[in-house]
Amino acid sequence: PEGAAALLHEAGLGAELVPRAYGGRFHRTDVLAGVLRSIARRDAALGLGLGVGQFAAAVHVWPAGSRPQRDELSGLL
């Protein structure tokens, strides 16, 4: 739907993908899955593109990235 991605961004979807240690809300995979399932139920492209895709791209930075990389990614999401 028109404007849905902007609405999800404004609602803070990116914070769901950032671990709490870096200022986000991510703390359990099952909770994140519930959030993304709710989005994908309404629009699969949004759930996959804005949720699963971004999480898959970011997940390796949290344990292996440098502190500046993690800080930058937190800000981007």
Side-chain angles (χ1 to χ4, degrees), residues 16-64:
E16 298 293 338
L17 310 174
V18 178
R20 287 181 175 174
Y22 305 112
R25 294 190 294 256
F26 176 72
H27 68 287
R28 290 181 20 198
T29 305
D30 61 323
V31 173
L32 175 61
V35 170
L36 298 180
R37 185 174 32 246
S38 295
I39 295 167
R41 187 176 329 138
R42 289 157 181 82
D43 188 315
L46 286 173
L48 291 172
L50 291 180
V52 175
Q54 289 184 359
F55 184 72
V59 72
H60 304 289
V61 176
W62 307 128

